[in-house]
Amino acid sequence: MTPVELSHTVLCAVRRAVDDGVLHVAVPERAVVTAPGPGGCGDYATNIALQLARPAGQPPLRVAEILRARLADSDGVRDVVVTGPGFINISLRDTAPTALVEEILRRGTRYGYTQEYVQERVQGDGHGYAHGSAQDPSSDPVQLSCPREVRAVVVMDAVARILRSQGASVRTRCEAELPSRWTDILDVRVDAHRTQQLPARLHVPVRPVPASADPLPLGRDAARWALLHPAAHDRPRITDDHLVQRETNPLFRVRYAHARTRALHRNAADLGFTAEAGPVELGSVEPGSVERRSVESSPAEPEPDNGTPHAHHIHLAHPTPLLSLLADHPRVLAQSAAHRAPDRLARHLVTVADAVLPLLPAVLPRGAEKPSAAHRARLALAEAAGTVLAGGLSLLGIDAPEHL
């Protein structure tokens, strides 16, 4: 069961409770499912009970128990547990991770995209954020506007890309014509300038804290990351640190993780096998090959194995955190669009990269090993993570290189 399918399952449980007469609420248009928070358990969690408690006139725990009973017998659901004030934690049957990886590989870099944009009737707060809770499905265009300031223009460009990924019709406008250097180096465009009016029902100003230095010398990718990674209310650091190929540079970690997944795809092809989603079981590898330690030297391809038995091994991190992050990607895109906050997507990509890097040493067969179903499943998980990283970077207007 994919996150989208689970969201529909949660809504079906709400609808059944309404039909049974135990909940008197309007069935919402979407139910957000995400990775369980602190104190949670299982594969996914939802706060739908807290969302419905007030209109239902019942305590959140009571609403959660009502929905728990109806979710527990749903296809693909193994267990449902209520924690905290009313969070519903859902454990899926063993096919869930396989289905998630299959969905990501099938949809490619458009994983997390939707055509059902829910437009929030809100006002911008001056920092590029939007606030509010009233949601209204609408095909009316959203007009983003910004001052003639380099960070504002780049943030508006990224917000427009993310909104369009969520099915929104977007128009962008700047107070004045953009310098040609901005369009040439940063790859930014606007639909209109101040003197040109665009038809739109929702107007959202984008006004992040301005950059204190010229980011153009960094080049497109590093400059855009420097401007987008900090929250809109934080002043960006415009330094050469964004160009350094070291573990301390978040942009490098994200692009490096993507390049490593592509290298594994090529290496696997050379060994005669391809990715195939399935249960991921990790063994162990020698300490020197752990991916986090290889970031500093950043080899483009894995070092060849000489077949020598290794005397000492360490166990790799479990893939569950990575699977949860991949499953959470559609929600991150939706929240980044709703709050006009590309920094949320940027931070999510860093987290995905940090979760996948420790798993990569176990993807390929080592020594005399033959490629097995386990290797194909690990490769599929790695390629799924690389796909999410590539798609996210694309929405930020940043290249995801095959080689680094």
Side-chain angles (χ1 to χ4, degrees):
M1 184 183 300
T2 67
V4 173
E5 292 169 339
L6 180 58
S7 176
H8 292 161
T9 299
V10 172
L11 291 180
C12 287
V14 175
R15 191 170 293 109
R16 287 168 56 193
V18 171
D19 293 343
D20 293 343
V22 292
L23 277 184
H24 301 283
V25 295
V27 179
E29 296 202 5
R30 64 168 60 180
V32 175
V33 295
T34 184
C41 59
D43 299 304
Y44 299 100
T46 177
N47 66 349
I48 190 73
L50 283 75
Q51 177 185 337
L52 298 178
R54 177 172 294 180
Q58 300 191 50
L61 282 173
R62 172 59 183 159
V63 175
E65 286 298 333
I66 291 173
L67 298 179
R68 186 197 65 78
R70 288 159 177 79
L71 282 168
D73 61 358
S74 300
D75 291 340
V77 174
R78 178 168 55 84
D79 191 23
V80 183
V81 176
V82 176
T83 59
F87 293 106
I88 301 175
N89 301 265
I90 304 169
S91 298
L92 302 179
R93 301 193 185 280
D94 292 339
T95 57
T98 299
L100 171 65
V101 172
E102 287 175 341
E103 182 191 11
I104 295 173
L105 297 181
R106 176 177 58 83
R107 299 194 61 185
T109 55
R110 295 181 66 83
Y111 168 65
Y113 284 33
T114 179
Q115 296 303 315
E116 300 176 359
Y117 175 62
V118 177
Q119 182 169 292
E120 298 198 13
R121 299 190 174 284
V122 294
Q123 297 294 325
D125 68 355
H127 289 303
Y129 286 100
H131 303 284
S133 58
Q135 295 181 329
D136 173 41
S138 173
S139 60
D140 289 345
V142 178
Q143 179 176 293
L144 304 175
S145 61
C146 75
R148 188 177 178 272
E149 189 276 321
V150 64
R151 188 188 187 196
V153 172
V154 170
V155 170
M156 182 174 70
D157 179 77
V159 168
R161 293 169 187 249
I162 296 170
L163 282 168
R164 289 173 183 134
S165 79
Q166 299 304 290
S169 175
V170 184
R171 300 291 182 269
T172 57
R173 187 176 67 150
C174 184
E175 291 180 352
E177 188 172 354
L178 302 184
S180 59
R181 293 178 67 237
W182 293 9
T183 58
D184 293 343
I185 297 177
L186 299 176
D187 193 25
V188 290
R189 303 287 188 276
V190 295
D191 297 313
H193 303 116
R194 185 167 190 170
T195 57
Q196 302 169 287
Q197 294 297 324
L198 295 172
R201 189 162 61 173
L202 179 64
H203 296 262
V204 179
V206 178
R207 296 180 179 274
V209 173
S212 58
D214 182 9
L216 298 186
L218 297 177
R220 184 189 66 176
D221 293 336
R224 289 184 70 103
W225 181 269
L227 299 172
L228 295 173
H229 182 250
H233 55 267
D234 292 330
R235 191 172 299 279
R237 293 184 307 104
I238 309 300
T239 69
D240 291 343
D241 291 345
H242 299 290
L243 299 173
V244 174
Q245 294 197 5
R246 290 182 181 170
E247 188 177 359
T248 53
N249 180 2
L251 173 60
F252 171 70
R253 296 208 305 274
V254 172
R255 301 177 81 197
Y256 175 77
H258 171 264
R260 290 293 299 116
T261 65
R262 300 307 302 155
L264 290 171
H265 173 84
R266 296 189 296 270
N267 297 151
D270 291 341
L271 293 174
F273 75 99
T274 58
E276 182 178 335
V280 178
E281 298 178 358
L282 294 178
S284 58
V285 297
E286 71 282 5
S289 71
V290 174
E291 198 64 26
R292 292 289 286 170
R293 294 184 59 178
S294 67
V295 168
E296 289 291 340
S297 55
S298 63
E301 305 288 342
E303 297 180 2
D305 193 307
N306 59 14
T308 303
H310 303 292
H312 300 91
H313 290 72
I314 63 169
H315 290 282
L316 297 175
H318 196 275
T320 297
L322 174 60
L323 288 164
S324 297
L325 290 168
L326 299 182
D328 202 33
H329 186 66
R331 184 194 66 84
V332 172
L333 291 185
Q335 289 297 303
S336 299
H339 293 272
R340 299 11 169 192
D343 58 285
R344 295 190 178 202
L345 173 58
R347 291 194 299 272
H348 174 66
L349 297 181
V350 176
T351 308
V352 171
D354 289 344
V356 71
L357 281 170
L359 306 181
L360 300 184
V363 170
L364 298 178
R366 304 192 63 82
E369 275 189 296
K370 300 292 186 182
S372 65
H375 293 109
R376 290 190 288 272
R378 297 169 196 166
L379 179 61
L381 177 58
E383 290 190 9
T387 298
V388 166
L389 294 174
L393 287 172
S394 175
L395 290 175
L396 298 178
I398 298 173
D399 277 344
E402 294 269 326
H403 304 268
L404 195 63

